[in-house]
Amino acid sequence: AAEEAMEAAVAAEVSNKRVILKRHVTGFPTEDDMEVVTATVSLAVPPGLAAVVVKNLYLSCDPYMRRRMTKHSEPSYPEFVLGEVITTFGVSKVVESGHPDFKAGDLVWGMTACEEYTLITKLGSIFKINHPELPLSYYAGVLGMPGLTAFSGFFNVAKPKKGDYVFVSAASGAVGQLVGQLAKITGCYVVGSAGSDEKVNLLKTKFGFDDAFNYKKEHDLNAALKRCFQQGIDIYFDNVGGTMLDAALLNMRLHGRVAVCGMISQYNLEHPEGVRNLACVVTKRIRIEGFRVIEYFGTYRKFEEEMAGHLKEGNITYMEDVAEGIEKVPAALVGLFYGRNIGKQLVAIAPE
């Protein structure tokens, strides 16, 4: 009888608040482009389906999501569907499993959706959490997608050497704060740019950057980089594109590397800005390479152990900006494009 009662409870429909895309975005996103709606969901996995139902604990807000909110003639990411829930990375607890690799109670991170409960059918895109003794929210950041992005982009794409001069833009963000700290661990000289004096101060005091500047207070980015890098730049880890990338090209050293991770300065523009200083690529023999973190998911377990070690030894510190409640997802996502977040933006959906 107890088992039957359990099954009945699991099969029951529960309320499920979710964030849907209400209209395609032009220009800067607004909270009105999204809507929080209340649906119902069954907590049972449909019979015969190799899937899991999860309760979402933390949801990640990331700049690339903006690219999925617009109709593109040649989409670079799968586009969000109007009226349907917005998908994102998150940290979740398995409620019911239809797959032998997962059981109820397991903590996982990976691709889920902006809602309270999610049926996940693509089990290749979720990972069991191996270090629950660390803050669970870290799996939406330093131990999740942004962490792997920083790690793989820096070590596999930029290929640093001890003594390299490294420049990181959006340096206090989810990825930038980690690239800077990994560069310091590697023995590099590191300078970051950010959009407020508070963030610049954090870069120098909390994250150990050698120098940092507020790009909003610099009328000449080329001059700012020349001031910070009298010897020039070996590695530019680019999160912003646009005029910052242009200025960095003028300051690269021979055989410099540009790892292109993102271009947040361009996502809301009707017409992307051009790059004028490409002649430097020839004269300085610069390598510019873009990357997508999804290519490195196969290396996740090795990364997780290495990063967990750094966190436990105090080599790496991570700063999060946590909003509370699913209703806050639209504002948190929009805030990324105004620099409102200090560190990695996430939303706490349910208590752990």
Side-chain angles (χ1 to χ4, degrees):
E3 266 182 39
E4 280 171 20
M6 281 279 289
E7 279 172 26
V10 165
E13 299 268 321
V14 296
S15 163
N16 189 30
K17 282 188 188 158
R18 43 196 347 219
V19 183
I20 61 167
L21 184 66
K22 197 159 75 181
R23 56 177 181 234
H24 286 121
V25 177
T26 51
F28 276 75
T30 67
E31 291 179 48
D32 289 340
D33 293 326
M34 294 161 268
E35 188 177 9
V36 181
V37 299
T38 303
T40 58
V41 65
S42 161
L43 299 183
V45 174
L49 195 61
V52 294
V53 173
V54 300
K55 178 178 176 132
N56 295 312
L57 306 177
Y58 294 99
L59 296 175
S60 179
C61 295
D62 301 289
Y64 83 90
M65 294 165 72
R66 168 66 184 83
R67 312 268 304 172
R68 303 185 64 182
M69 300 172 90
T70 300
K71 279 299 245 193
H72 295 275
S73 50
E74 296 175 27
S76 50
Y77 293 92
E79 289 169 358
F80 294 140
V81 179
L82 286 185
E84 292 196 9
V85 70
I86 290 171
T87 55
T88 187
F89 287 94
V91 179
S92 317
K93 189 177 209 165
V94 175
V95 177
E96 203 201 337
S97 173
H99 191 282
D101 287 355
F102 299 93
K103 62 181 191 302
D106 281 352
L107 293 166
V108 297
W109 80 271
M111 192 46 85
T112 182
C114 293
E115 55 189 352
E116 293 174 285
Y117 297 93
T118 303
L119 175 69
I120 298 176
T121 54
K122 290 186 177 147
L123 297 181
S125 65
I126 61 170
F127 297 91
K128 273 197 214 176
I129 284 172
N130 282 343
H131 289 279
E133 70 281 4
L134 289 167
L136 277 183
S137 56
Y138 278 11
Y139 281 89
V142 57
L143 287 170
M145 181 275 288
L148 186 59
T149 301
F151 195 87
S152 50
F154 189 58
F155 291 117
N156 295 69
V157 181
K159 297 192 163 81
K161 298 185 295 293
K162 189 178 177 192
D164 277 350
Y165 294 93
V166 176
F167 174 47
V168 187
S169 52
S172 70
V175 174
Q177 57 174 301
L178 292 172
V179 173
Q181 293 177 85
L182 292 170
K184 287 311 296 174
I185 289 169
T186 308
C188 302
Y189 181 86
V190 191
V191 178
S193 64
S196 76
D197 291 347
E198 181 187 1
K199 291 176 183 179
V200 166
N201 187 42
L202 277 171
L203 291 175
K204 294 191 215 175
T205 55
K206 193 174 174 76
F207 300 127
F209 282 63
D210 295 289
D211 203 354
F213 63 90
N214 180 348
Y215 71 88
K216 290 179 183 169
K217 288 189 166 174
E218 303 288 345
H219 59 272
D220 182 344
L221 293 175
N222 177 30
L225 290 175
K226 286 205 168 19
R227 183 178 79 232
C228 294
F229 292 100
Q230 282 150 18
Q231 318 288 321
I233 300 167
D234 292 297
I235 291 172
Y236 172 35
F237 195 99
D238 187 16
N239 289 308
V240 302
T243 53
M244 190 67 86
L245 171 59
D246 231 356
L249 289 174
L250 290 175
N251 289 280
M252 299 302 289
R253 302 177 77 183
L254 283 188
H255 298 289
R257 289 88 74 202
V258 181
V260 186
C261 175
M263 293 207 166
I264 194 170
S265 74
Q266 305 299 297
Y267 297 163
N268 300 312
L269 303 181
E270 202 60 40
H271 302 287
E273 293 170 328
V275 177
R276 298 168 187 273
N277 297 323
L278 284 174
C280 298
V281 176
V282 181
T283 53
K284 298 163 185 266
R285 284 80 98 186
I286 300 167
R287 176 166 63 82
I288 304 178
E289 186 178 340
F291 71 98
R292 294 274 289 272
V293 67
I294 198 158
E295 292 173 25
Y296 295 97
F297 273 22
T299 68
Y300 175 70
R301 287 302 176 201
K302 185 172 173 291
F303 155 77
E304 182 188 21
E305 288 314 305
E306 199 158 328
M307 189 58 86
H310 281 314
L311 289 164
K312 288 178 177 181
E313 285 158 29
N315 301 335
I316 282 186
T317 178
Y318 199 60
M319 192 148 181
E320 301 171 314
D321 196 323
V322 186
E324 295 279 342
I326 187 123
E327 298 80 7
K328 295 288 189 355
V329 168
L333 197 47
V334 168
L336 291 171
F337 300 95
Y338 295 93
R340 288 182 194 139
N341 55 303
I342 310 272
K344 161 76 204 158
Q345 182 67 65
L346 53 121
V347 182
I349 306 302
E352 295 176 15

